[in-house]
Amino acid sequence: MNYSLAIHGGAGTIARASLTPEAEKNYRIALQAALQTGAAVLAGGGPALDAVEAAVRSLEDCPLFNAGRGAVFTHEGHHEMDAALMDGHSGRAGAVAGVRAVQNPIRAARLVMEATEHVLLAYPGADELAREHGLPLQPPAYFFTEFRHQQLQEAIAAGRMQLDHASAPTAPADPNWKKGTVGAVARDQHGHLAAATSTGGMTNKRYARIGDTPLIGAGTWADARCAISCTGHGEYFIRAVAAHDIACLMEYKNLSLAEACRIVVHDKLAPAGGEGGLIAVDAAGNLALPFNSEGMYRAWQDADGSGEVAIY
Ligand code: ASP
């Protein structure tokens, strides 16, 4: 096999005790389905960009993850979703921030890249672009999940912005928080790379808060050397310009993908308090999936054909 693919469904403190076997099974099934969706594109000789978009769309349509359908609530009780993708071969990128209606924010991000001369569109203007081009829009009820609504009440009571809550709806008072942002990175059969990331952001976030996900270089990056998709407390990833820093370490210091990822996740983000992780692929198809949190929902398929779904 001469392609590689990795996906994530968020990183953070995923308490084993609060993840029921039933919930764990559902997460694994959803991750496996998204991986297969992306891998089918690559196996057919399709471009990395199509593969990462397809994998992320699959996760956006699943209410278990904090993106698209399962997006968390803002303080005011709305959903404001961010997404970005980047094509390493052409260097082109597209992103949306604060969209409220488009069913698949990652498709809107691609539209920004392909149908406009811009990189990042935000708020009603970004939803409007999606509407103009016929992308499906949804009413607020589509994005409502009881579990997320419960998280919002808890976050408001705690008086702070929260990373996505521990996954089991049966343990709403669990003090451990996880993040459920989704992302994908791929190397296609032509050796081209791409990355995509999509999120609802953080529960109880202030109106108009934008995280790292849609910021090219912070939460999402791809060039000829590497493709990166991050998940974690966005403000830390923005200040660290985390995704692009990996590309810089590889280019200027000639480090391997694994070493560059280790430095950013463990030596830079962790000491600063930047909890989270990322998935990465290089031009040879090597994968790295480091995280400094207790777990990260992830799945991958290597160039040698071996693949796995993992949480811890
Ligand atoms: N990075 C995302 C944000 O800060 C959250 C996450 O990864 O769960 O918006």
Side-chain angles (χ1 to χ4, degrees), residues 286-307:
N286 298 306
L287 296 170
L289 300 91
F291 51 93
N292 61 34
S293 45
E294 189 180 328
M296 178 168 78
Y297 293 103
R298 62 200 187 281
W300 67 94
Q301 191 164 316
D302 271 342
D304 65 13
S306 58

Side-chain angles (χ1 to χ4, degrees), residues 8 10-11 66 82 163-164 178-181 199-202 205 209-213 230-235 237:
H8 70 75
N66 172 21
D82 304 334
L163 290 161
D164 190 17
K178 74 165 183 68
K179 304 93 174 169
T181 289
T199 188
M202 292 170 70
K205 67 183 179 182
R209 177 264 187 186
I210 295 172
D212 59 313
T213 299
C230 300
T231 173
H233 195 143
E235 280 70 8
F237 284 71

Side-chain angles (χ1 to χ4, degrees), residues 259-309:
E259 182 60 3
C261 288
R262 191 194 61 73
I263 289 172
V264 170
V265 172
H266 296 288
D267 295 353
K268 294 191 171 187
L269 286 167
E275 189 189 8
L278 55 86
I279 53 173
V281 65
D282 70 13
N286 298 306
L287 296 170
L289 300 91
F291 51 93
N292 61 34
S293 45
E294 189 180 328
M296 178 168 78
Y297 293 103
R298 62 200 187 281
W300 67 94
Q301 191 164 316
D302 271 342
D304 65 13
S306 58
E308 212 173 302
V309 177

Side-chain angles (χ1 to χ4, degrees), residues 90-132:
S90 65
R92 295 198 303 163
V96 292
V99 289
R100 287 190 177 182
V102 65
Q103 180 176 321
N104 291 105
I106 201 65
R107 290 186 72 188
R110 183 151 183 178
L111 204 54
V112 172
M113 182 177 106
E114 291 178 340
T116 80
E117 58 183 326
H118 309 301
V119 171
L120 172 60
L121 288 188
Y123 304 109
D127 278 315
E128 180 56 25
L129 178 81
R131 194 192 60 75
E132 276 168 22

